[in-house]
Structures are given as C-alpha cells and as structure tokens.
Amino acid sequence: SNKQLKAQMQYAAIGHKLISPDGWILQANKAACDILGYTEEELTQKTYQDFTHPGDLLINKQYMEQLLNGDIDTFQLD
C-alpha cells in the first residue's frame, strides 16, 4: 500500500529520493536530507542534476532515458 511504501522510504537508513521524469525531486527521506544538508522542502526545489557529479551526468541521462523507454526497470549510481 502507499502507506507502507511511504513509511519504508521515510525511515530507511539510506538516502532515497523520488524523482519526476523531468528530473525534479518530488520527495526525499530524512537520510537523504541529512546527507545533502537540505530540508525536504528545499530539495523539492532542485533537480537530481544539482547533486550529480559532472562526470556522471551523461551516464545518468542515458539510464534515465532507458528507464523511461521501458528498456530497464531500475538503476543505481554510487
């Protein structure tokens, strides 16, 4: 259910962000806020590109395109 998913995201020990297809941060859990040094409200005024290392922007864009095209189900960059 949505309640369970929201609780799992919010209380996870690692940072999670929910990102729109055009890159805007829609939600962030406490761990992500603590790691990045922003409140959730501040993060929702930013895009994932604001926090992506310049050297990772191209590969991130490629993964996002594959994700939106349905070629992959998920991806992760560290």
Side-chain angles (χ1 to χ4, degrees):
S1 80
N2 282 341
K3 273 185 171 180
Q4 288 175 321
L5 181 60
K6 187 172 182 170
Q8 287 174 340
M9 179 179 163
Q10 195 60 26
Y11 298 110
I14 60 173
H16 287 282
K17 297 180 297 302
L18 179 63
I19 299 172
S20 71
D22 58 353
W24 289 97
I25 298 172
L26 302 174
Q27 291 180 337
N29 69 354
K30 181 176 179 342
C33 293
D34 291 346
I35 291 166
L36 297 171
Y38 292 91
T39 66
E40 184 176 14
E41 293 76 25
E42 291 169 327
L43 285 177
T44 59
Q45 303 301 310
K46 300 187 177 296
T47 67
Y48 77 87
Q49 294 97 330
D50 294 323
F51 300 100
T52 302
H53 186 278
D56 292 333
L57 284 172
L58 180 60
I59 189 69
N60 202 328
K61 182 178 184 259
Q62 292 170 340
Y63 280 137
M64 284 293 285
E65 289 172 0
Q66 291 176 5
L67 185 70
L68 294 173
N69 289 334
D71 298 330
I72 59 174
D73 294 324
T74 185
F75 73 93
Q76 176 180 330
L77 293 174
D78 292 322

